[in-house]
Amino acid sequence: MVTLCVHFFNIDPVAAYCRVSTNSEEQATSYEAQVSYYTNYILQNPKWEMAGIFADDGISATNTKKRDDFNALINACVSGKIDMVLTKSISRFARNTVDSLYHIRLLKEKNIPIFFEKEQINTMEAAGELLITILSSLAQEESRNISENVKWSLRKKYERGGLNTSRLLGYQKGDDGKLHIVPEEAAVVRYIFMKYLEGKSSCAIAKDVTAQGKKTIRGNTVWNPCVIDKILQNEKYMGDMLSQKTYTSDFLTKKREKNVGALPQYYVENSHEPIVSREIFYMAREERIRRNSLRKLAAGNREKEGKSKHSGKYALTEILVCGECGRSYRRQIWSKYGEKKAVWRCSNRLTYGKTYCKNSPTLDEERLHESILEALNRIIRDKDAFMDTFRENVMTVLQTDLEYREECNDDMKELQKQIKELIQNNKITDEQEEYEMISRRIDEIRRERIERIKKRGTEESQKLKMEKIYGFLERKHELKEYDDNLVRSLIKTICVINEQKMEIHFKSGTVMTQRIIEKEY
């Protein structure tokens, strides 16, 4: 304490910094005790003038960005309002070596010492910085251990199917620890899915819900298209839960990264009540994949990739493709002799002329609609054969999925049995390489299963889809006019072969060759 008196004899404005790391009742008492202690400590010294007690309560200390009072303390020091800082210990000041040394050196340049009472360290002493470096490193390692322990507990929670979110648009966490539907918000979610499947873009839907005054989960009334996209991709809305989509890659910066295999993921089906059916969710996923997969083909033999702009105004946009070059058809308005009419032309032909697509026909919209209408009526007249094909395709998929699930379950049981034997025989250390290999294979099977779930719907989803289309066709008599919504529901793509013929690929798996009705002159 002699050194302290020599260095601090003429110092006037003195401040103290206090911090506790949680909001628990026990820590709150510690926080109050620190504030009271340093208030009395400074006021009792006649050579010191109280420059303030800076205290952050219940805030993490792995970095200083979110510590308001800490930053206010540093600003006051830099402004010349404080000549000395008192604090309980290095771990109270910072657990991050970089932050700790940066601020210590910053204040040292201003001739402002920091005194750590527990360690009896004065930063203005020659040996102070070396001791600070050592002790801050230890504090940082402690923070690393805490981070690893938190990660471990989270993974165990995910393995048990535990909830990984407490608030989500349409849901709120209940007292039972499960997600429960918030009706008003759920209606917004259903509206977003419905409009997307009707052909609207994420941007258009964002404008709609903004105009309606609906609020996001953060309370904003202006919606971003990215928010719409995230809702459409979130499996929680169909009642499932995928845990560990992202992870903290650096415990100091708290930087989060997308988990693309660095850590295992955990998928729980039917973990809570769904807001939209599996059928609706998977239909939206298929539509998103279809829109995102649009590519522009470049000249010659090489390909240049780039996304086409999705237009939700017309069902045929991107459904109608050129049989010669594979590019989508685009709607155009032609004006001749003062009359206007809509036609559909290959976008490659529109951009490059006949250079890369020589024979694609221009199709009159009215005749094109009549041709598609004729094909739909053929389906309605022969709905039984149509549904037989659909049913056969669905059952093939379901059988494949069932066989895959059974194979996965058998593999998982065998691998888990092998790990159990290693543990029971105390061979984990001796057979570490084998243990790690088995663990990696278990993680691979989990990832493969999750990817398979992402790519296609479950048995329930496929059956619902089949029943919905069958019920729809049962109620339909021959159509009198072209219907965009019906085209979106039943047709996957229409390939224009030539000016007399097109090939229609239905979502059921049925492929039909349809004549294009000739123009009337």
Side-chain angles (χ1 to χ4, degrees):
M1 293 299 291
V2 176
T3 304
L4 178 63
C5 293
V6 171
H7 282 293
F8 300 159
F9 187 77
N10 294 320
I11 292 178
D12 287 328
V14 177
Y17 178 71
C18 313
R19 184 191 60 79
V20 295
S21 57
T22 70
N23 280 318
S24 68
E25 186 176 343
E26 181 181 346
Q27 292 284 17
T29 304
S30 170
Y31 164 78
E32 292 168 1
Q34 287 182 57
V35 173
S36 176
Y37 170 77
Y38 280 112
T39 300
N40 294 330
Y41 187 62
I42 294 172
L43 292 176
Q44 286 173 4
N45 192 323
K47 300 295 182 180
W48 292 348
E49 177 185 341
M50 169 63 77
I53 304 295
F54 295 83
D56 287 311
D57 184 11
I59 300 173
S60 173
T62 50
N63 64 58
T64 57
K65 290 181 181 178
K66 296 182 180 180
R67 291 159 62 188
D68 295 335
D69 263 28
F70 180 88
N71 294 322
L73 167 70
I74 299 300
N75 290 335
C77 290
V78 172
S79 301
K81 299 176 182 178
I82 297 172
D83 287 346
M84 174 187 170
V85 177
L86 305 176
T87 190
K88 182 179 179 182
S89 67
I90 293 170
S91 64
R92 296 298 90 188
F93 188 73
R95 291 185 180 176
N96 181 325
T97 305
V98 175
D99 276 343
S100 180
L101 293 184
Y102 171 79
H103 289 101
I104 287 169
R105 286 169 178 160
L106 176 66
L107 299 190
K108 193 172 182 180
E109 288 175 2
K110 303 286 184 182
N111 291 318
I112 301 173
I114 305 172
F115 182 70
F116 299 100
E117 190 175 13
K118 180 179 177 181
E119 294 83 6
Q120 289 292 294
I121 294 175
N122 167 18
T123 58
M124 297 301 290
E125 293 179 346
E129 192 164 320
L130 175 60
L131 292 172
I132 291 287
T133 302
I134 295 170
L135 292 170
S136 293
S137 296
L138 293 173
Q140 180 172 319
E141 190 58 33
E142 178 189 347
S143 188
R144 183 196 301 278
N145 290 336
I146 291 172
S147 176
E148 291 302 319
N149 289 338
V150 169
K151 287 180 182 178
W152 182 87
S153 63
L154 283 174
R155 286 169 197 162
K156 291 300 177 184
K157 174 185 174 182
Y158 296 154
E159 286 178 2
R160 296 192 301 269
L163 196 63
N164 63 352
T165 186
S166 59
R167 191 73 173 92
L168 182 69
L169 185 71
Y171 287 111
Q172 193 161 26
K173 188 176 180 180
D175 295 336
D176 58 359
K178 295 182 178 181
L179 288 177
H180 295 276
I181 291 177
V182 180
E184 300 81 6
E185 295 178 4
V188 178
V189 173
R190 293 189 188 101
Y191 176 85
I192 289 169
F193 274 89
M194 178 185 70
K195 290 301 176 183
Y196 190 76
L197 289 174
E198 286 179 3
K200 283 202 170 187
S201 66
S202 297
C203 188
I205 296 171
K207 289 179 181 177
D208 283 352
V209 289
T210 297
Q212 293 168 17
K214 303 298 183 182
K215 291 184 178 181
T216 69
I217 189 63
R218 298 181 183 276
N220 299 326
T221 53
V222 177
W223 288 68
N224 190 298
C226 293
V227 175
I228 304 298
D229 288 335
K230 287 181 179 178
I231 288 172
L232 293 168
Q233 295 175 55
N234 198 328
E235 77 292 334
K236 292 184 182 67
Y237 290 118
M238 64 170 173
D240 292 357
M241 183 169 60
L242 176 62
S243 299
Q244 207 149 254
K245 295 177 184 176
T246 61
Y247 69 101
T248 303
S249 58
D250 189 323
F251 77 99
L252 293 178
T253 63
K254 300 298 182 185
K255 181 182 178 183
R256 294 195 69 79
E257 294 185 13
K258 189 175 181 180
N259 185 7
V260 290
L263 295 173
Q265 292 183 313
Y266 306 90
Y267 198 100
V268 181
E269 297 181 67
N270 303 313
S271 70
H272 54 274
E273 187 179 357
I275 287 178
V276 299
S277 68
R278 291 184 182 277
E279 176 198 8
I280 295 296
F281 185 85
Y282 283 115
M283 284 172 66
R285 173 174 285 169
E286 289 170 8
E287 175 63 10
R288 189 172 65 255
I289 291 170
R290 185 191 68 79
R291 293 183 191 183
N292 291 341
S293 65
L294 298 172
R295 292 294 182 266
K296 293 180 179 179
L297 299 177
N301 293 324
R302 62 189 175 85
E303 292 184 351
K304 182 190 293 183
E305 292 189 352
K307 288 184 180 179
S308 299
K309 183 179 179 182
H310 167 76
S311 171
K313 192 172 182 180
Y314 304 102
L316 293 179
T317 303
E318 298 147 11
I319 290 178
L320 191 65
V321 297
C322 176
E324 183 175 348
C325 70
R327 287 284 293 274
S328 60
Y329 263 63
R330 208 183 294 168
R331 191 176 189 266
Q332 300 282 297
I333 299 296
W334 278 7
S335 180
K336 191 174 182 180
Y337 305 122
E339 294 184 4
K340 292 182 179 180
K341 69 172 181 177
V343 297
W344 288 79
R345 302 189 69 197
C346 170
S347 54
N348 203 5
R349 182 80 171 268
L350 282 169
T351 305
Y352 302 108
K354 292 187 177 182
T355 307
Y356 310 116
C357 188
K358 302 181 186 301
N359 303 306
S360 59
T362 297
L363 302 177
D364 179 86
E365 183 176 76
E366 185 179 346
R367 304 307 174 195
L368 180 60
H369 284 180
E370 288 179 12
S371 303
I372 295 171
L373 184 64
E374 184 177 288
L376 291 175
N377 280 326
R378 285 170 62 190
I379 288 293
I380 291 171
R381 285 194 296 269
D382 198 13
K383 62 174 78 71
D384 291 334
F386 178 84
M387 287 309 301
D388 285 344
T389 302
F390 191 13
R391 191 176 294 106
E392 184 179 344
N393 290 334
V394 168
M395 296 314 296
T396 300
V397 170
L398 296 181
Q399 183 61 33
T400 304
D401 280 347
L402 178 61
E403 291 172 358
Y404 174 79
R405 287 201 301 270
E406 290 175 349
E407 184 180 337
C408 276
N409 290 337
D410 292 342
D411 289 348
M412 286 286 280
K413 286 177 182 178
E414 178 58 31
L415 291 169
Q416 288 167 350
K417 179 183 176 183
Q418 291 175 24
I419 282 186
K420 186 176 180 181
E421 289 174 355
L422 288 173
I423 294 172
Q424 288 176 341
N425 297 328
N426 295 318
K427 289 184 177 180
I428 290 293
T429 305
D430 298 337
E431 305 292 343
Q432 183 66 26
E433 188 175 338
E434 182 182 353
Y435 172 77
E436 291 177 355
M437 183 182 70
I438 295 171
S439 298
R440 282 195 299 270
R441 180 56 190 146
I442 289 175
D443 288 342
E444 285 172 7
I445 292 175
R446 280 188 182 133
R447 282 195 295 270
E448 288 169 5
R449 183 172 176 270
I450 290 170
E451 287 304 312
R452 198 172 183 96
I453 289 172
K454 287 178 179 178
K455 287 178 182 176
R456 37 171 88 87
T458 60
E459 180 175 347
E460 178 187 358
S461 168
Q462 293 289 347
K463 285 181 177 178
L464 281 171
K465 190 174 183 179
M466 184 168 63
E467 289 169 4
K468 181 178 179 181
I469 292 177
Y470 187 73
F472 175 81
L473 293 175
E474 277 290 303
R475 294 191 301 272
K476 283 288 179 185
H477 301 292
E478 286 202 12
L479 301 169
K480 301 300 182 184
E481 58 184 26
Y482 172 87
D483 184 346
D484 255 355
N485 288 328
L486 185 57
V487 168
R488 285 192 182 97
S489 299
L490 296 179
I491 298 176
K492 185 177 181 181
T493 56
I494 301 173
C495 182
V496 179
I497 307 301
N498 53 47
E499 61 184 355
Q500 287 91 31
K501 184 171 64 175
M502 60 186 177
E503 194 174 74
I504 302 178
H505 295 250
F506 290 88
K507 291 181 178 180
S508 67
T510 298
V511 178
M512 177 189 293
T513 299
Q514 171 66 36
R515 72 181 180 93
I516 298 176
I517 297 172
E518 295 180 3
K519 300 177 184 178
E520 295 178 3
Y521 294 97

